[in-house]
Amino acid sequence: MGSVIPTLSFHAIDKNDQVLPHVKVSTVFGGDRGTLVASQGDGCDILRFSGPGQPDVADVEVTGAAAAAVALNSRGPAVSIKAHPSQ
C-alpha cells in the first residue's frame, strides 16, 4: 500500500469522555478536507480548536470518512531546495 489522501472527522472530547458539541475542530494540513497526503504508516496534522468549551478539550475522537489511494511519481524530487550560506 502506498500513500493515501484521507478525509477525517474530528470530535473534541472533555476529561470526562464527553463530546464537546460546540467546539469546532479544524486541521492545518487538511486532514479534515481531504488535502493531506499520508504515506504508509506515517502522517500527521495539527488540530485547531475553536468555540465555547475550547479550553476543556482533553482528547479527540477521529473517524475516517474516506480515503483515496495516491500514486506518487518517484522519478525525481518533487521539491528542489537550494541552500544559501548566511553572510
Side-chain angles (χ1 to χ4, degrees), residues 49-60:
F49 306 101
S50 60
Q54 174 262 332
D56 300 323
V57 175
D59 202 354
V60 177

Side-chain angles (χ1 to χ4, degrees), residues 7 26 29 34 36-38 40 42 45-46 48 55 59 70:
T7 302
S26 58
F29 299 127
L36 172 72
V37 177
Q40 181 180 2
D42 192 22
D45 209 334
I46 298 170
R48 248 185 98 157
D59 202 354
V70 100

Side-chain angles (χ1 to χ4, degrees), residues 5-81:
I5 301 174
T7 302
L8 306 171
S9 174
F10 299 92
H11 294 96
I13 307 291
D14 69 11
K15 66 181 180 181
N16 298 313
D17 292 325
Q18 299 298 308
V19 172
L20 296 165
H22 301 293
V23 175
K24 180 182 178 196
V25 183
S26 58
T27 65
V28 172
F29 299 127
D32 59 337
R33 299 181 307 279
T35 60
L36 172 72
V37 177
S39 46
Q40 181 180 2
D42 192 22
C44 72
D45 209 334
I46 298 170
L47 303 182
R48 248 185 98 157
F49 306 101
S50 60
Q54 174 262 332
D56 300 323
V57 175
D59 202 354
V60 177
E61 177 184 88
V62 182
T63 305
V70 100
L72 299 176
N73 182 350
S74 62
R75 292 184 218 177
V79 177
S80 177
I81 299 172

